[in-house]
Amino acid sequence: MYEDLKKTKLIVDLLRQTSNLQVVREFLKAKGVASSGNWDDIFSKRIEPAVAAYKITNADLIALLRSVEECGRQHIFLYTCPSSQAIELMERHRISGILKKRGQVDLLTHPRVLDQPQIPELADVRWDTADVDISVTIKEIESREFHYFIGTELHDGNIHKVYGRQFQRAVNVAKLHRDGLLEIRLASLANTSKYEAAIRRFWKQINDLIPLDGFTELSLSPAKDRLWVERVPLAKLIRYSDSTVRDDAGNVLRAAAGSDKDDLNHKVAVGQSLDFLLQTDKNAYCEGANIWFKKADGLSAESHVLLNGDSNEFALPANCSEADYNYVLSQLRYFNRRVP
């Protein structure tokens, strides 16, 4: 029991890092457990006694941790392959055999709860299943080191810049869908907007499970164009903070609202400048956008989405629920394949 409670504390500590108190309270209410108090109370007065009384289990807490730490504060890169290839790659016997060779077959039944491992480690491999397996998820935990400027010091007549070191737990996820969609979700980097090296390193980690060969980038350019062109009829669904249009000559035109609280739909003249370039130059395209999906039946809260960076990339800069993440992804896929 001591080891179980020790693991419980680690899971709760990770929930504290990746979620908010309301999410945990809702979880406890659903389990019939009292949910009042601050974080310390939630663990010592609510969760710990409930685990000891077998009202909730560590498996329940791990499922909650999965749902919150795998979504939000990420840059997501989309790839695609033929459905037949995806189904073959997802096949349980194949995945199990590879994990057995790696000495990690236990991940299928006992996901690892890791804080800051010394080297990046796989923590979870699982399938989402309906009548058939519809996706496979592979999760990695890594500890990232980054430096931050503290100040300057004078030594022997020389001025030295002093930097502090900080370590950050990061969760990276690969999710392959039966229809051929592959999501590579990388925890947001603290000091760069370039993710090429991070993608290469993560894919090297999982390449035997999901080989790079056969996948192509899934451009979100159609979605960016449609979301901007149809911004007026979509006004009840989406709020636009800014949008950027570029032509083949490299000319760039950006329209931005005064703040993230404003909406370009209310700044007609500003938005029309982008429309003019798109209408007069057949090679012009929407390069990026800063949008907010408004709270709706499928969302628990307004969701901020960045459509910048690589053509197959979008970002969710804030924590969100699994349901909110899936809502945003489904909307982007919908607009990406819509025909005018």
Side-chain angles (χ1 to χ4, degrees):
M1 176 57 71
Y2 171 77
E3 288 300 321
D4 286 344
L5 291 177
K6 184 177 178 182
K7 187 174 184 179
T8 302
K9 185 177 187 309
L10 174 57
I11 299 170
V12 174
D13 286 344
L14 296 179
L15 284 168
R16 195 167 183 169
Q17 293 177 34
T18 58
S19 183
N20 61 64
L21 205 48
Q22 188 57 34
V23 169
V24 179
R25 285 173 176 156
E26 292 298 326
F27 164 80
L28 292 175
K29 288 179 184 177
K31 295 292 184 180
V33 176
S35 59
S36 60
N38 58 29
W39 273 109
D40 292 336
D41 292 336
I42 287 291
F43 172 69
S44 62
K45 298 180 181 179
R46 309 304 181 198
I47 293 178
E48 190 174 28
V51 170
Y54 301 101
K55 292 183 178 179
I56 58 176
T57 66
N58 280 337
D60 295 328
L61 292 168
I62 289 173
L64 176 63
L65 181 63
R66 279 173 170 170
S67 72
V68 296
E69 74 172 1
E70 296 177 7
C71 303
R73 296 192 182 276
Q74 297 168 321
H75 283 247
I76 300 96
F77 298 82
L78 302 182
Y79 302 84
T80 187
C81 73
S83 176
S84 58
Q85 179 182 338
I87 293 171
E88 181 179 338
L89 291 175
M90 288 170 50
E91 203 276 320
R92 289 183 180 240
H93 182 73
R94 175 185 173 275
I95 296 287
S96 300
I98 293 170
L99 290 175
K100 187 174 182 180
K101 289 180 181 178
R102 294 173 60 141
Q104 297 175 317
V105 72
D106 61 305
L107 292 177
L108 298 175
T109 52
H110 297 87
R112 297 173 186 171
V113 180
L114 304 170
D115 187 2
Q116 292 188 358
Q118 290 186 342
I119 61 173
E121 289 188 35
L122 292 192
D124 195 1
V125 179
R126 67 183 188 276
W127 288 266
D128 291 321
T129 302
D131 294 331
V132 295
D133 289 332
I134 57 177
S135 66
V136 63
T137 298
I138 302 169
K139 179 167 67 177
E140 174 199 72
I141 309 296
E142 66 168 320
S143 179
R144 293 176 180 166
E145 177 183 345
F146 63 94
H147 302 156
Y148 58 95
F149 181 67
I150 296 176
T152 59
E153 293 180 355
L154 184 64
H155 294 287
D156 300 325
N158 297 314
I159 296 176
H160 296 260
K161 292 182 177 180
V162 180
Y163 290 87
R165 299 169 65 203
Q166 188 167 336
F167 293 89
Q168 182 183 65
R169 180 179 183 268
V171 177
N172 304 312
V173 174
K175 185 170 183 177
L176 177 60
H177 298 253
R178 188 179 184 85
D179 65 2
L181 177 70
L182 172 64
E183 309 165 44
I184 298 292
R185 309 181 198 168
L186 300 180
S188 297
L189 295 169
N191 52 7
T192 180
S193 61
K194 303 298 182 183
Y195 284 78
E196 294 90 343
I199 292 172
R200 286 196 301 270
R201 187 209 58 75
F202 180 46
W203 216 320
K204 185 177 180 180
Q205 168 86 292
I206 64 170
N207 192 58
D208 52 347
L209 295 163
I210 303 178
L212 177 61
D213 295 344
F215 284 92
T216 57
E217 294 182 359
L218 177 62
S219 173
L220 289 169
S221 292
K224 295 175 188 177
D225 287 340
R226 298 302 303 164
L227 287 168
W228 176 255
V229 171
E230 296 189 358
R231 68 188 182 281
V232 174
L234 292 174
K236 292 184 178 180
L237 178 69
I238 298 172
R239 181 162 58 83
Y240 302 76
S241 293
D242 66 61
S243 192
T244 304
V245 170
R246 179 185 291 270
D247 65 17
D248 281 352
N251 299 307
V252 176
L253 193 61
R254 178 172 178 258
S259 74
D260 280 345
K261 300 294 183 182
D262 291 332
D263 190 339
L264 283 176
N265 266 321
H266 303 151
K267 313 295 180 182
V268 177
V270 177
Q272 285 177 343
S273 63
L274 299 193
D275 293 336
F276 179 79
L277 181 55
L278 287 168
Q279 292 164 6
T280 58
D281 187 342
K282 65 179 182 179
N283 295 317
Y285 59 96
C286 185
E287 182 182 49
N290 186 350
I291 66 174
W292 304 72
F293 282 97
K294 296 180 179 180
K295 190 177 184 310
D297 290 342
L299 279 177
S300 64
E302 194 173 56
S303 288
H304 187 193
V305 181
L306 299 175
L307 286 162
N308 300 304
D310 292 344
S311 65
N312 65 327
E313 174 185 0
F314 71 96
L316 295 172
N319 283 332
C320 68
S321 69
E322 183 178 12
D324 289 350
Y325 174 87
N326 289 334
Y327 175 90
V328 170
L329 178 62
S330 65
Q331 289 289 334
L332 292 178
R333 295 191 73 187
Y334 170 71
F335 286 110
N336 211 45
R337 61 175 173 254
R338 276 195 65 187
V339 177

Short mmCIF file of all heavy atoms in Angstrom, two decimals, residues 21 24 46 50 79 92 96 109 112 115 117 121 137 144 146 155 166-167 174 228 233 269 278 295 313 319 335-336 339:
data_model
loop_
_atom_site.label_atom_id
_atom_site.label_comp_id
_atom_site.label_asym_id
_atom_site.label_seq_id
_atom_site.Cartn_x
_atom_site.Cartn_y
_atom_site.Cartn_z
N LEU A 21 -7.11 22.74 -10.80
CA LEU A 21 -7.83 22.13 -9.69
C LEU A 21 -9.26 21.75 -10.07
O LEU A 21 -9.79 20.73 -9.61
CB LEU A 21 -7.83 23.10 -8.50
CG LEU A 21 -7.99 22.52 -7.10
CD1 LEU A 21 -7.05 21.36 -6.86
CD2 LEU A 21 -7.75 23.62 -6.07
N VAL A 24 -9.54 18.28 -11.62
CA VAL A 24 -9.42 17.21 -10.63
C VAL A 24 -10.68 17.13 -9.77
O VAL A 24 -11.15 16.04 -9.43
CB VAL A 24 -8.17 17.43 -9.76
CG1 VAL A 24 -8.06 16.33 -8.70
CG2 VAL A 24 -6.91 17.42 -10.64
N ARG A 46 -8.60 14.06 0.31
CA ARG A 46 -9.57 13.53 -0.65
C ARG A 46 -9.02 12.30 -1.38
O ARG A 46 -9.54 11.20 -1.28
CB ARG A 46 -9.96 14.61 -1.67
CG ARG A 46 -10.41 15.93 -1.06
CD ARG A 46 -11.55 15.75 -0.09
NE ARG A 46 -11.98 17.04 0.48
CZ ARG A 46 -12.70 17.16 1.58
NH1 ARG A 46 -13.08 16.07 2.25
NH2 ARG A 46 -13.06 18.36 2.02
N ALA A 50 -9.28 8.15 -0.47
CA ALA A 50 -10.11 7.44 -1.46
C ALA A 50 -9.34 6.27 -2.08
O ALA A 50 -9.93 5.21 -2.33
CB ALA A 50 -10.56 8.41 -2.55
N TYR A 79 0.91 14.60 -40.52
CA TYR A 79 1.43 13.82 -41.64
C TYR A 79 0.34 12.86 -42.08
O TYR A 79 -0.64 12.62 -41.35
CB TYR A 79 2.69 13.05 -41.23
CG TYR A 79 3.81 13.92 -40.73
CD1 TYR A 79 3.84 14.34 -39.40
CD2 TYR A 79 4.84 14.33 -41.58
CE1 TYR A 79 4.88 15.16 -38.93
CE2 TYR A 79 5.87 15.14 -41.12
CZ TYR A 79 5.88 15.54 -39.80
OH TYR A 79 6.88 16.35 -39.34
N ARG A 92 -1.67 -4.86 -33.77
CA ARG A 92 -1.25 -5.12 -32.39
C ARG A 92 -0.07 -6.10 -32.30
O ARG A 92 0.84 -5.90 -31.48
CB ARG A 92 -2.42 -5.64 -31.56
CG ARG A 92 -3.47 -4.56 -31.28
CD ARG A 92 -4.59 -5.07 -30.39
NE ARG A 92 -5.56 -4.02 -30.13
CZ ARG A 92 -5.87 -3.55 -28.92
NH1 ARG A 92 -5.27 -4.05 -27.85
NH2 ARG A 92 -6.78 -2.60 -28.77
N SER A 96 3.40 -5.05 -30.54
CA SER A 96 3.81 -5.84 -29.37
C SER A 96 5.16 -6.50 -29.60
O SER A 96 6.01 -6.54 -28.69
CB SER A 96 2.76 -6.90 -29.05
OG SER A 96 1.50 -6.32 -28.77
N THR A 109 0.52 -2.64 -20.76
CA THR A 109 -0.36 -2.91 -19.62
C THR A 109 -0.07 -2.03 -18.41
O THR A 109 -0.95 -1.84 -17.57
CB THR A 109 -0.24 -4.39 -19.19
OG1 THR A 109 1.16 -4.70 -18.99
CG2 THR A 109 -0.81 -5.31 -20.26
N ARG A 112 4.13 3.99 -17.68
CA ARG A 112 5.07 4.51 -16.69
C ARG A 112 4.70 5.93 -16.30
O ARG A 112 4.37 6.75 -17.14
CB ARG A 112 6.49 4.46 -17.24
CG ARG A 112 6.95 3.03 -17.52
CD ARG A 112 8.29 2.97 -18.21
NE ARG A 112 8.62 1.59 -18.58
CZ ARG A 112 9.65 1.25 -19.33
NH1 ARG A 112 10.45 2.18 -19.82
NH2 ARG A 112 9.87 -0.02 -19.62
N ASP A 115 8.58 11.55 -13.96
CA ASP A 115 8.66 12.98 -13.73
C ASP A 115 9.65 13.61 -14.70
O ASP A 115 9.27 14.15 -15.73
CB ASP A 115 9.07 13.25 -12.28
CG ASP A 115 9.00 14.73 -11.93
OD1 ASP A 115 8.59 15.53 -12.80
OD2 ASP A 115 9.33 15.10 -10.79
N PRO A 117 12.85 12.09 -16.46
CA PRO A 117 13.86 11.06 -16.70
C PRO A 117 15.16 11.65 -17.24
O PRO A 117 15.16 12.70 -17.89
CB PRO A 117 13.19 10.17 -17.76
CG PRO A 117 12.21 11.07 -18.43
CD PRO A 117 11.71 12.00 -17.39
N GLU A 121 12.22 8.90 -22.46
CA GLU A 121 11.73 7.52 -22.32
C GLU A 121 10.29 7.40 -22.80
O GLU A 121 9.46 8.28 -22.53
CB GLU A 121 11.79 7.07 -20.86
CG GLU A 121 13.18 6.84 -20.30
CD GLU A 121 13.13 6.21 -18.93
OE1 GLU A 121 12.20 5.38 -18.69
OE2 GLU A 121 13.97 6.53 -18.08
N THR A 137 -1.54 5.29 -29.86
CA THR A 137 -0.87 6.44 -29.26
C THR A 137 0.42 5.99 -28.61
O THR A 137 0.44 5.00 -27.87
CB THR A 137 -1.77 7.12 -28.21
OG1 THR A 137 -2.96 7.60 -28.84
CG2 THR A 137 -1.05 8.27 -27.53
N ARG A 144 13.79 18.60 -20.29
CA ARG A 144 14.48 19.60 -21.10
C ARG A 144 15.22 20.58 -20.18
O ARG A 144 14.68 21.01 -19.16
CB ARG A 144 13.50 20.37 -21.97
CG ARG A 144 12.86 19.52 -23.06
CD ARG A 144 11.84 20.36 -23.80
NE ARG A 144 11.18 19.62 -24.87
CZ ARG A 144 10.08 20.05 -25.47
NH1 ARG A 144 9.54 21.20 -25.13
NH2 ARG A 144 9.54 19.31 -26.43
N PHE A 146 16.88 24.37 -20.11
CA PHE A 146 17.03 25.63 -20.80
C PHE A 146 17.62 26.66 -19.84
O PHE A 146 17.59 26.50 -18.62
CB PHE A 146 15.71 26.12 -21.40
CG PHE A 146 14.62 26.41 -20.41
CD1 PHE A 146 14.43 27.69 -19.92
CD2 PHE A 146 13.76 25.40 -19.98
CE1 PHE A 146 13.42 27.96 -19.01
CE2 PHE A 146 12.74 25.68 -19.09
CZ PHE A 146 12.57 26.96 -18.59
N HIS A 155 34.25 40.19 -12.82
CA HIS A 155 35.36 39.34 -12.40
C HIS A 155 36.63 39.79 -13.08
O HIS A 155 36.71 39.84 -14.32
CB HIS A 155 35.09 37.87 -12.75
CG HIS A 155 33.93 37.27 -12.02
ND1 HIS A 155 33.98 36.94 -10.70
CD2 HIS A 155 32.68 36.96 -12.44
CE1 HIS A 155 32.81 36.43 -10.32
NE2 HIS A 155 32.00 36.44 -11.37
N GLN A 166 17.37 25.68 -15.79
CA GLN A 166 16.06 25.20 -15.35
C GLN A 166 15.71 23.95 -16.14
O GLN A 166 16.01 23.86 -17.34
CB GLN A 166 15.00 26.28 -15.56
CG GLN A 166 13.66 25.92 -14.95
CD GLN A 166 12.72 27.11 -14.88
OE1 GLN A 166 13.16 28.25 -14.87
NE2 GLN A 166 11.43 26.86 -14.84
N PHE A 167 15.10 23.00 -15.45
CA PHE A 167 14.70 21.76 -16.10
C PHE A 167 13.17 21.71 -16.17
O PHE A 167 12.48 22.11 -15.24
CB PHE A 167 15.24 20.54 -15.34
CG PHE A 167 16.74 20.45 -15.39
CD1 PHE A 167 17.53 21.08 -14.43
CD2 PHE A 167 17.37 19.76 -16.41
CE1 PHE A 167 18.91 21.00 -14.48
CE2 PHE A 167 18.75 19.68 -16.48
CZ PHE A 167 19.53 20.31 -15.51
N ALA A 174 2.91 10.74 -30.30
CA ALA A 174 2.62 10.38 -31.69
C ALA A 174 1.32 9.60 -31.68
O ALA A 174 1.17 8.64 -30.92
CB ALA A 174 3.75 9.54 -32.28
N TRP A 228 -10.00 32.15 -43.55
CA TRP A 228 -9.97 33.59 -43.76
C TRP A 228 -11.06 34.03 -44.73
O TRP A 228 -11.82 34.96 -44.44
CB TRP A 228 -8.61 34.04 -44.27
CG TRP A 228 -8.60 35.52 -44.58
CD1 TRP A 228 -8.61 36.13 -45.79
CD2 TRP A 228 -8.64 36.58 -43.61
NE1 TRP A 228 -8.65 37.49 -45.66
CE2 TRP A 228 -8.68 37.79 -44.32
CE3 TRP A 228 -8.68 36.62 -42.22
CZ2 TRP A 228 -8.73 39.03 -43.70
CZ3 TRP A 228 -8.73 37.85 -41.58
CH2 TRP A 228 -8.75 39.03 -42.31
N PRO A 233 -19.16 34.45 -42.53
CA PRO A 233 -20.14 33.43 -42.13
C PRO A 233 -19.68 32.60 -40.93
O PRO A 233 -20.51 31.98 -40.25
CB PRO A 233 -20.29 32.55 -43.38
CG PRO A 233 -19.13 32.86 -44.24
CD PRO A 233 -18.73 34.26 -43.94
N ALA A 269 -12.14 47.44 -42.77
CA ALA A 269 -11.15 48.01 -43.69
C ALA A 269 -9.82 47.28 -43.59
O ALA A 269 -9.15 47.06 -44.60
CB ALA A 269 -10.97 49.50 -43.41
N LEU A 278 -5.53 38.82 -52.05
CA LEU A 278 -5.94 37.47 -52.40
C LEU A 278 -6.75 37.44 -53.70
O LEU A 278 -6.64 36.51 -54.50
CB LEU A 278 -6.76 36.85 -51.27
CG LEU A 278 -5.99 36.43 -50.01
CD1 LEU A 278 -6.96 36.11 -48.88
CD2 LEU A 278 -5.09 35.23 -50.28
N LYS A 295 -16.36 29.48 -27.56
CA LYS A 295 -17.00 28.44 -26.75
C LYS A 295 -18.29 27.98 -27.43
O LYS A 295 -19.13 28.79 -27.79
CB LYS A 295 -17.29 28.94 -25.35
CG LYS A 295 -17.72 27.84 -24.39
CD LYS A 295 -17.93 28.39 -22.99
CE LYS A 295 -18.27 27.27 -22.00
NZ LYS A 295 -19.34 26.39 -22.44
N GLU A 313 1.79 22.58 -39.58
CA GLU A 313 1.90 22.83 -38.14
C GLU A 313 0.76 23.72 -37.63
O GLU A 313 0.36 24.68 -38.28
CB GLU A 313 3.24 23.51 -37.86
CG GLU A 313 3.47 23.96 -36.43
CD GLU A 313 4.77 24.74 -36.25
OE1 GLU A 313 5.49 24.92 -37.26
OE2 GLU A 313 5.05 25.17 -35.13
N ASN A 319 -3.06 25.08 -21.94
CA ASN A 319 -3.56 23.76 -21.58
C ASN A 319 -5.01 23.62 -22.02
O ASN A 319 -5.76 24.59 -22.03
CB ASN A 319 -3.49 23.55 -20.07
CG ASN A 319 -2.09 23.25 -19.58
OD1 ASN A 319 -1.28 22.71 -20.32
ND2 ASN A 319 -1.80 23.62 -18.34
N PHE A 335 -12.10 21.96 -42.35
CA PHE A 335 -11.86 23.09 -43.24
C PHE A 335 -10.73 22.81 -44.21
O PHE A 335 -10.68 23.40 -45.29
CB PHE A 335 -11.56 24.35 -42.41
CG PHE A 335 -12.77 24.92 -41.75
CD1 PHE A 335 -12.94 24.85 -40.37
CD2 PHE A 335 -13.77 25.51 -42.50
CE1 PHE A 335 -14.07 25.36 -39.76
CE2 PHE A 335 -14.91 26.04 -41.89
CZ PHE A 335 -15.06 25.95 -40.52
N ASN A 336 -9.86 21.89 -43.87
CA ASN A 336 -8.75 21.56 -44.77
C ASN A 336 -9.20 20.79 -45.99
O ASN A 336 -8.55 20.80 -47.03
CB ASN A 336 -7.69 20.75 -44.02
CG ASN A 336 -6.29 20.99 -44.54
OD1 ASN A 336 -5.91 22.14 -44.77
ND2 ASN A 336 -5.52 19.93 -44.73
N VAL A 339 -14.53 21.91 -49.95
CA VAL A 339 -14.49 22.41 -51.32
C VAL A 339 -15.39 23.65 -51.37
O VAL A 339 -16.53 23.61 -50.92
CB VAL A 339 -14.99 21.36 -52.32
CG1 VAL A 339 -15.01 21.94 -53.72
CG2 VAL A 339 -14.13 20.12 -52.24
#
